[in-house]
Amino acid sequence: MQASPFLAASTLALALSAGAAAAPAQAAQAELYIDVATHAMPGMPGMGAMGRLAGAMGGQHASYGMTRHPGMPGRYMDVALHNRAAPGQPATQAIPKGLRLGKSIELLPRERSQDQADGTVDGSGALGLADGSSYRVRYFWGCGEQARGRQPVEYSMTVRNGKPVQGGRAMAPRRVPAQGPDIGPQHVLWPNPGARRGVSDKASLVGSHQLDGEGLPDAMQFALGQADDFLPNLELASSGSPGDGMTLEWTPVDGARGYFIHAMASQGDTIVMWSSSEDGYAGPELMDYLPEPLLAQWAGKRTVLGADARSCRIPTEVFAGVDAAPVVQMIAYGSQRSIAQPRPADAARDWTPAWNVRVRSKSTAMLMPGMAGTTPRDAARPAAKEAARGLLRGLLGN
């Protein structure tokens, strides 16, 4: 099945930005990475249970990596451990009661077929487009009543020999350094095929965590607080219409350090994209975790909206003349924290921590066409059910 222009352009942007920088090397014997994400689809009530049911019907199960680009609403958690003394060996992580996953979770190696499927995304084949397929891309940026000068920027995208080729004044994706682990046979993960259930919508990380397994440092124990927990839902709503301009509003997300919005719609062979960035192109590559120094830098340049932002208007010209309502994606960037083994009182001068933990969070929201003018309280359940089915069809490609 041919992919939609929305999926094609999103995949292209992510493909071009993939592998911009490698994760820094770490010297600790054991490294634990915990990523958490909260995803909402405002105007679609009851989607936590509905999403799980729809995923089960589609043969989908929780798997490592879903925090990066969540599909259905709910809370997601990815845990990866690299134990240099016993790489790839299973481990047990004792967890607080509030996580609602029992007393512990098992960290297991990824199945070999998954390792082989991983790799750098180059955009070839992933777009699902036949050779010769072409699209014209129009890009706008910035909040306000009217688009500013020099907009839109236009360029073309064509698939040749299975690879995307841009023509004209193509906009280069932002360079977002890779921070997560480069998952391989040396890592053990959760979720994994042995995980019996996913994360509850009421789950909390707050409390004591402890790792146990072959070769792990003694007393690899740490505590997480409210600042490390899942962020609340990002409650996003819109008013107006694509032809007359849309105003996006949201309630503040406790713990958010900034926001970013991206919208896209297509008509025929034309793709229209817009973002809330005030300093030029920024695309779907920003719908992910950002390093704190980069987030601070981009907040200063207004690439991302500040933590005190509560609304943004999409200029009238952006989607004027486009019949299809845009898909709007938004992210609230949460905290990032590193925890290292405490230094013993009698430690030698050349002592280094035997373990460290990195925890990061985000909250995202998506407004689907036909739901953008609603709020969670006034949306109809039948419409939500049909939208969920449509989203599943898009995710599964049928």
Side-chain angles (χ1 to χ4, degrees):
M1 176 180 178
Q2 178 167 306
S4 68
F6 171 77
L7 292 174
S10 295
T11 304
L12 176 67
L14 293 171
L16 292 176
S17 61
Q26 300 286 339
Q29 174 186 335
E31 300 161 355
L32 184 71
Y33 298 82
I34 303 176
D35 288 348
V36 295
T38 305
H39 185 55
M41 298 182 72
M44 302 178 76
M47 285 301 295
M50 187 181 301
R52 286 189 287 272
L53 175 61
M57 292 173 61
Q60 293 182 317
H61 302 281
S63 60
Y64 182 87
M66 294 182 72
T67 60
R68 297 293 303 277
H69 307 290
M72 305 306 294
R75 293 186 173 185
Y76 297 80
M77 179 176 72
D78 287 333
V79 182
L81 171 68
H82 183 193
N83 176 11
R84 288 183 169 80
Q89 293 302 306
T92 300
Q93 180 175 340
I95 55 176
K97 183 178 179 180
L99 199 46
R100 298 172 181 251
L101 291 171
K103 295 182 179 181
S104 63
I105 57 175
E106 298 300 316
L107 308 183
L108 303 175
R110 174 173 281 185
E111 293 181 329
R112 179 166 298 184
S113 59
Q114 291 177 292
D115 282 330
Q116 293 173 345
D118 286 343
T120 302
V121 178
D122 64 3
S124 61
L127 300 177
L129 300 174
D131 281 346
S133 297
S134 297
Y135 295 98
R136 184 167 64 101
V137 181
R138 303 173 63 204
Y139 177 74
F140 296 83
W141 63 91
C143 305
E145 292 289 337
Q146 305 292 327
R148 278 157 248 174
R150 301 180 292 107
Q151 297 188 41
V153 170
E154 297 193 15
Y155 58 96
S156 64
M157 180 178 67
T158 303
V159 176
R160 296 175 182 168
N161 298 322
K163 296 191 177 290
V165 178
Q166 291 187 340
R169 184 186 169 189
M171 308 299 290
R174 301 274 175 153
R175 296 180 64 86
V176 179
Q179 302 174 84
D182 184 10
I183 297 298
Q186 71 274 22
H187 291 90
V188 288
L189 313 170
W190 190 95
N192 50 62
R196 296 182 178 180
R197 51 183 168 173
V199 178
S200 164
D201 292 343
K202 297 181 180 180
S204 172
L205 288 167
V206 175
S208 178
H209 299 247
Q210 183 167 354
L211 273 292
D212 182 55
E214 178 185 347
L216 283 174
D218 293 337
M220 188 173 175
Q221 183 174 359
F222 58 96
L224 299 180
Q226 293 290 343
D228 310 308
D229 208 1
F230 295 90
L231 291 182
N233 280 355
L234 178 52
E235 300 291 351
L236 174 65
S238 73
S239 58
S241 66
D244 298 324
M246 298 169 59
T247 297
L248 303 172
E249 298 179 296
W250 57 93
T251 55
V253 174
D254 290 341
R257 298 177 297 123
Y259 302 94
F260 175 75
I261 313 170
H262 188 269
M264 183 182 297
S266 64
Q267 182 162 344
D269 61 356
T270 298
I271 300 169
V272 181
M273 296 190 294
W274 167 88
S275 85
S276 57
S277 170
E278 295 290 333
D279 69 336
Y281 180 86
E285 66 272 14
L286 268 68
M287 298 296 299
D288 202 353
Y289 304 97
L290 293 181
E292 289 197 6
L294 185 60
L295 180 59
Q297 175 187 338
W298 282 351
K301 294 181 177 181
R302 297 196 297 173
T303 307
V304 301
L305 301 170
D308 58 346
R310 300 292 179 266
S311 66
C312 175
R313 182 168 176 81
I314 301 178
T316 303
E317 300 95 325
V318 175
F319 296 113
V322 178
D323 294 335
V327 173
V328 180
Q329 299 181 84
M330 184 174 180
I331 182 170
Y333 301 103
S335 66
Q336 297 193 12
R337 182 185 176 200
S338 294
I339 306 169
Q341 177 190 15
R343 183 184 182 91
D346 58 350
R349 293 184 61 181
D350 60 351
W351 178 90
T352 58
W355 58 265
N356 58 50
V357 179
R358 197 262 348 249
V359 186
R360 57 184 184 175
S361 63
K362 66 176 181 177
S363 184
T364 54
M366 177 182 288
L367 292 178
M368 299 293 290
M371 307 298 290
T374 65
T375 66
R377 293 184 179 180
D378 60 18
R381 190 172 295 273
K385 186 174 182 180
E386 182 57 34
R389 289 174 177 170
L391 179 60
L392 267 179
R393 287 192 293 267
L395 291 172
L396 298 175
N398 53 44

